[in-house]
Amino acid sequence: MLFNAISEGRWVSELPRDQIQSQGLILVDCNAFYVACERLFRPDLSQTPVVVLSNNDGCVVARSEEARQLGVKMGQPWFQIRDLDLVAFSSNYALYEAISQRVMAVLKETGWACEVYSIDEAFLNLPPVFLSIELATWLAERVWRWTGIPVTVGMGYSKTQAKIASYLAKRVLKQAAYLFQTSDLERVPLAEIWGIGSRQAAKLQAVGALTAADFLNLSEGWIRQHLSVQGLRLLYELQGVVAWPIQKQRQRQQIRHARSFATEISELGSLQSCLSGFVEHAASKLRQQGSQAGRLSVFVEGNRFRVHSPPTRLARIKLDPPTAYTPALNQAAQGLLQGLYQSGQAYKKIGVILQELSPLETQQISWLSSPDPRENQLMQTLDRLQRYYGRQSLCYASSLRSTLAWRKDQVSPRYLSCWQELPQI
C-alpha cells in the first residue's frame, strides 16, 4: 500500500509510478457556511452584510463577503462592530448541523467515496480521468439546487492539492470550481498550505521558503529532519501522492465539549448540572463513531479579563475498563469536579474531554467484572429516541437543575429540528 510506504519513510522515487496520481480528490467547501444557513431562511439578507457570533455572542465566527468588505475580521469582538450597518446572528448549531447533514447526503448520493471532514467540508474520491471543471460545476449546482447552500469545489490528486485548488477558487479567482495546476504553487503562501502551523512556518521561512513552490523545492532529507514524517507526507501530497487517504468514517482522536457562561458562576450545583449536560453530549458523539473512552478530563476556568479570577484547573482520570456508558462517564466527571471546585470562586467556563478512544468491539474483559449487556442496550435506545425526538427530549435528571442561560440575543429559529419553530406562512 502507498500509505504504508510513506509511513515507513520510503521516498517517492522508490514507489511504483502507477501509485502516483492514481486517484482524483474533490474538496467541496461550503461558502461562509453559517451565514449561508441563516440566509437560507432569510433571502432578504442575500446582499446584506451578515455575521454569525460565537457562544454568548462574543466574537465573529463567520462573515459574509459583504461583511468582509466592511472590514470585519474573523474573531473580532462583537462590541467593536455592533454599530456597523450589518445583521448579526447568534450561533444556532442545531440549524447548522441539520443543513450540513443535507449537504453531505447530496454528496454521498453521487456514489463516490465520501469523507465528511468537518461540518462544512467533505472530500470525494473518484477516478482522475473524471476531474474536470464541467464535473465540478455540475456538483456545485447540484448542491445549490437541492440544499440552497453555495459551495466551492477544488480538485487535485491529493487532499492537499484539492485544498489549494479550493483556496485559489474562493480567495483568488472568485469562481465556483478549479483544478489544481503545479504552476499554482508559486502564488500560494505558506500560511495557506494545509498542515503548516506557525512553528513549521518559522523554520521554513528561515531557509527562504515563502510559498508552496519553495517548500516543494526543499530536499526530502531536510524536510524529514526538521518537520518529521508529517512534513514528508505533506511534500508527497503536494506532488500528487496520496499520503492521507479518504476515510469513510472519520474517527476523532478525542472528544471535547466546553462552553463559556454568559455570567460567572460560583454555585457548585449549577456547575454540576452544566457538566452533566456536557458529558451527555460528548458521550453521544463517542457512541456515534463506535468508540469508548479510556481517559476523562474535566477543566474549569475563571474570567481571563479579571485580575483576581481563579486560574484554569484540570483533572483527569483513567477509565478502567474503557466505557461509553453515560452514567459511568458522568460519575467520573462529577468526582473530578468536586476536587477542582473551590468555594467562593467564580467560574466562567467548564468543559469535559474524552481521550484514549478505542473501538467498542475491542473492549478488554476484566477478571473482576464483566460488562452488563443492558448498558449498551440502554444507550442504543437513548440515542435512537434523541435522534428522533431531539436531544432535549430525554436527558438525565442531573442536567435538569441548571438555570444557566447562554447569551443568544440574536438567535434564529431551529427551522429544521423543532416543531414549535417551523417557518410560518
Side-chain angles (χ1 to χ4, degrees):
M1 292 289 292
L2 176 61
F3 180 70
N4 292 336
I6 294 173
S7 301
E8 295 166 3
R10 291 161 53 190
W11 310 134
V12 173
S13 57
E14 301 176 21
L15 300 173
R17 301 309 297 178
D18 60 353
Q19 293 188 18
I20 298 178
Q21 296 186 354
S22 60
Q23 66 177 3
L25 268 296
I26 287 180
L27 171 65
V28 180
D29 185 6
C30 301
N31 300 335
F33 180 60
Y34 292 173
V35 171
C37 292
E38 299 292 353
R39 283 175 164 175
L40 188 59
F41 295 91
R42 289 289 306 276
D44 57 304
L45 301 177
S46 60
Q47 304 297 323
T48 303
V50 177
V51 297
V52 176
L53 306 175
S54 62
N55 293 327
N56 297 311
D57 296 345
C59 60
V60 175
V61 294
R63 54 186 173 159
S64 66
E65 182 60 32
E66 295 81 4
R68 184 196 303 269
Q69 294 173 4
L70 282 179
V72 177
K73 298 179 175 59
M74 288 293 289
Q76 189 168 4
W78 167 233
F79 71 86
Q80 293 182 357
I81 61 172
R82 64 192 319 154
D83 294 330
L84 297 179
D85 185 18
L86 51 76
V87 175
F89 288 95
S90 303
S91 299
N92 188 345
Y93 296 115
L95 175 65
Y96 308 152
E97 184 176 353
I99 296 177
S100 173
Q101 290 174 356
R102 297 189 176 198
V103 172
M104 302 309 166
V106 173
L107 299 179
K108 291 176 181 178
E109 285 185 358
T110 61
W112 298 315
C114 178
E115 176 186 336
V116 179
Y117 184 72
S118 67
I119 193 171
D120 63 343
E121 290 179 297
F123 288 101
L124 297 174
N125 183 202
L126 66 163
V129 68
F130 290 160
L131 293 183
S132 66
I133 296 297
E134 292 77 12
L135 174 70
T137 303
W138 168 82
L139 185 59
E141 292 176 349
R142 184 184 182 92
V143 174
W144 168 258
R145 186 182 310 116
W146 288 18
T147 67
I149 300 298
V151 300
T152 298
V153 181
M155 298 172 289
Y157 301 102
S158 66
K159 287 182 176 179
T160 304
Q161 288 188 354
K163 273 275 191 180
I164 290 176
S166 176
Y167 160 76
L168 292 172
K170 183 180 296 187
R171 301 296 179 213
V172 180
L173 303 174
K174 307 296 182 183
Q175 59 192 44
Y178 187 69
L179 176 59
F180 174 85
Q181 307 292 331
T182 304
S183 58
D184 296 328
L185 296 175
E186 297 179 357
R187 51 178 175 171
V188 179
L190 276 176
E192 299 300 334
I193 302 178
W194 190 39
I196 294 291
S198 57
R199 183 177 302 178
Q200 292 86 349
K203 292 181 180 179
L204 293 168
Q205 291 170 0
V207 296
L210 303 177
T211 67
D214 297 333
F215 181 84
L216 196 62
N217 291 328
L218 296 173
S219 69
E220 294 179 347
W222 187 94
I223 292 176
R224 183 179 178 86
Q225 179 182 353
H226 294 88
L227 303 180
S228 75
V229 70
Q230 288 297 103
L232 197 59
R233 290 172 181 170
L234 179 58
L235 175 67
Y236 292 165
E237 285 269 319
L238 288 173
Q239 295 173 336
V241 181
V242 178
W244 292 299
I246 286 286
Q247 300 178 15
K248 294 184 181 180
Q249 180 66 36
R250 184 171 178 81
Q251 298 291 319
R252 297 181 177 92
Q253 299 302 312
Q254 68 174 25
I255 295 176
R256 180 180 186 271
H257 195 77
R259 185 174 292 181
S260 298
F261 309 133
T263 58
E264 296 176 10
I265 302 298
S266 56
E267 297 82 11
L268 177 60
S270 296
L271 293 172
Q272 289 174 326
S273 183
C274 183
L275 179 62
S276 179
F278 288 0
V279 171
E280 288 183 42
H281 190 70
S284 177
K285 288 185 177 181
L286 183 68
R287 293 189 295 271
Q288 188 176 358
Q289 72 170 31
S291 298
Q292 58 192 354
R295 184 179 296 275
L296 182 145
S297 302
V298 172
F299 67 90
V300 291
E301 294 181 6
N303 191 333
R304 296 178 299 175
F305 303 101
R306 292 188 182 275
V307 177
H308 300 293
S309 182
T312 300
R313 303 187 67 200
L314 180 142
R316 57 174 59 95
I317 185 174
K318 179 76 173 178
L319 302 173
D320 189 19
T323 183
Y325 187 49
T326 301
L329 294 171
N330 191 35
Q331 182 179 6
Q334 298 297 341
L336 294 178
L337 178 59
Q338 289 279 0
L340 293 174
Y341 175 76
Q342 293 179 328
S343 179
Q345 297 282 13
Y347 298 96
K348 184 65 174 176
K349 187 175 184 179
I350 192 170
V352 61
I353 307 173
L354 303 181
Q355 298 167 302
E356 297 183 8
L357 308 188
S358 60
L360 274 170
E361 59 270 15
T362 62
Q363 186 174 24
Q364 186 174 0
I365 304 300
S366 170
W367 288 103
L368 301 178
S369 63
S370 58
D372 189 340
R374 296 177 300 176
E375 294 181 356
N376 185 42
Q377 296 172 2
L378 177 60
M379 293 298 98
Q380 290 180 0
T381 303
L382 174 65
D383 293 338
R384 283 198 302 268
L385 289 172
Q386 289 183 336
R387 282 195 300 268
Y388 190 84
Y389 293 105
R391 198 161 58 87
Q392 300 300 325
S393 61
L394 189 62
C395 59
Y396 289 87
S398 57
S399 64
L400 292 176
R401 300 192 307 267
S402 177
T403 57
L404 301 178
W406 315 114
R407 184 180 297 126
K408 290 188 175 183
D409 297 335
Q410 291 92 230
V411 66
S412 57
R414 294 165 293 176
Y415 298 104
L416 301 180
S417 57
C418 181
W419 288 104
Q420 290 75 25
E421 298 177 20
L422 289 175
Q424 297 183 6
I425 299 176

